[in-house]
Amino acid sequence: MIIDGKEIANDIKEKLKREVSARDSAPTLVIVSIGENLVSEKFLSVKKKFAADIGVLVEEKKLDTNVSEDEVVETISMSTLKNTGIIVQLPLPKSIDAQKILNAIPPAHDVDVLSEGSFKLYKEGTLPVLPPVVAAMKEILFRHNVFVGNKNVLIVGKGKLVGLPAAIWFERHQSNVTAIDEHVSSPIPYTLVADILVLGAGSPHFLKPDMIKEGVVILDAGTSTEFSTSTSESSGKLLGDADPACAGKSSLFTPVPGGIGPVMVAMLFKNLMEITRQ
C-alpha cells in the first residue's frame, strides 16, 4: 500500500481547525529565518498555508545573513510569549552555530523538538510531544494497524533529525532496533531481514527492490534534491532514499514527496496545539 500523506494531513487539519475555533484565542507560531533560501521558502509556504487553513497565527522574524548569534538568540527570547510556539527554519548560514540557536528555544515553546533540552526530555519520556518526524511515523503506523513490538526495525542513518529520534521511539515500543549508516560495507544483509525500514540517509533511491523482503514496511524520511547530470543544477525535485519500485514488495510504503512530509507538517501544528493548551 502506498501511503497518501496529504490525505492523512488533511484529516488532521480538519480536527485541528475545529480545536482552534473552539479556543478563546488562536495560538501563534513564530518562525525565525535567516537570509534567503529558495528551498526553505518553499517549506515555509507550506507551513504558512497550513496555519492559515486551521486559523493559527504566524509571525515571521526574517533576519539578515549578517545577523549575530546573540541577536538571533535575543529574537527567540523575545518571542517566548504565552500561547506561542517557535521554530527556526533550517538550514542556517554556515557562519551561525545552528545548535546554539536551537538551544535558545525553551522546551515549552519548541514545537520541532530540536533543542538539546527538549530532546533530553523526549529521550527520558517526559516531553508531552514527539519530534514531528516520529509523530508522523507513529500516525501512519497506527492508522494502518502496524504493530511494532518485537519487529526487526532497521534505521538507515543516525542523524538527529530522523535516525536518532526514530530509534528512541521504536526501542521504547519494544522493537528490535538496528541502526546503520554509511560506515557499513553493505546495507543489504540488514535490509533483507528488516520488517520495518526507516530511511533517513539522504541517499537518493539507494534502496532497491532486491534489497528488501516481501511485505516490508518502508517509512522513507530521507530527502534529497535531484540534480541534472548535464548542468549539475538542482531541479528542485525531491527524491527519497527508496526507489519507488520498492512499493511493489512493500505492505506499506511512504513515497517522497507526498508521504511522511505532509504528515510531519500536520504534526508540527498538533505539537503547537499541545504545548499551548495550558
Side-chain angles (χ1 to χ4, degrees):
M1 172 185 287
I2 298 178
I3 297 301
D4 186 342
K6 291 182 180 179
E7 182 179 339
I8 296 173
N10 285 336
D11 181 51
I12 297 169
K13 180 187 291 183
E14 289 305 311
K15 294 175 182 175
L16 294 177
K17 185 177 181 179
R18 290 194 292 271
E19 182 176 350
V20 172
S21 64
R23 291 195 180 188
D24 293 334
S25 60
T28 298
L29 179 67
V30 173
I31 301 175
V32 178
S33 62
I34 302 175
E36 299 292 333
N37 183 301
L38 291 178
V39 175
S40 293
E41 286 297 327
K42 183 177 179 181
F43 286 124
L44 278 177
S45 67
V46 171
K47 293 170 185 174
K48 288 189 285 188
K49 184 180 185 306
F50 196 104
D53 288 345
I54 66 174
V56 161
L57 305 175
V58 172
E59 185 177 339
E60 286 190 84
K61 307 282 188 179
K62 288 194 170 187
L63 306 174
D64 294 331
T65 52
N66 59 356
V67 69
S68 71
E69 291 177 354
D70 288 343
E71 288 174 310
V72 183
V73 170
E74 179 65 18
T75 298
I76 292 172
S77 178
M78 292 176 64
S79 301
T80 55
L81 305 174
K82 185 178 180 181
N83 208 30
T84 298
I86 303 170
I87 64 171
V88 173
Q89 187 61 39
L90 301 175
L92 298 181
K94 292 181 179 179
S95 59
I96 298 287
D97 182 343
Q99 195 59 61
K100 176 182 176 180
I101 302 305
L102 293 171
N103 287 347
I105 307 174
H109 297 273
D110 189 3
V111 293
D112 261 337
V113 194
L114 289 178
S115 75
E116 290 176 337
S118 297
F119 197 82
K120 180 176 182 291
L121 295 176
Y122 164 64
K123 190 174 182 179
E124 293 170 350
T126 58
L127 196 70
V129 297
L130 296 174
V133 66
V134 174
M137 292 179 189
K138 174 185 175 182
E139 184 74 16
I140 291 167
L141 292 171
F142 282 18
R143 280 178 180 251
H144 294 85
N145 300 310
V146 177
F147 180 69
V148 302
N150 293 320
K151 293 290 181 64
N152 294 324
V153 177
L154 176 65
I155 297 175
V156 184
K158 298 180 179 180
K160 293 181 180 179
L161 295 180
V162 179
L164 185 54
I168 291 169
W169 186 83
F170 279 100
E171 287 172 352
R172 186 173 294 154
H173 289 80
Q174 288 76 53
S175 303
N176 303 316
V177 178
T178 300
I180 63 173
D181 56 20
E182 70 275 9
H183 298 298
V184 299
S185 57
S186 171
I188 295 176
Y190 303 93
T191 58
L192 282 175
V193 297
D195 301 310
I196 299 173
L197 266 166
V198 176
L199 305 177
S203 180
H205 294 179
F206 88 88
L207 187 74
K208 305 297 183 183
D210 61 357
M211 298 169 63
I212 58 176
K213 68 179 184 180
E214 198 76 36
V216 67
V217 170
I218 296 180
L219 299 170
D220 193 350
T223 56
S224 307
T225 304
E226 183 181 52
F227 283 85
S228 168
T229 54
S230 58
T231 65
S232 297
E233 292 183 355
S234 172
S235 67
K237 182 179 179 181
L238 291 179
L239 303 177
D241 286 353
D243 188 314
C246 291
K249 290 181 72 173
S250 307
S251 61
L252 187 151
F253 180 85
T254 62
V256 176
I260 287 177
V263 187
M264 278 181 63
V265 174
M267 289 305 173
L268 183 147
F269 284 94
K270 192 171 182 180
N271 283 356
L272 175 65
M273 299 302 291
E274 178 64 34
I275 67 174
T276 58
R277 281 204 178 103
Q278 297 181 358

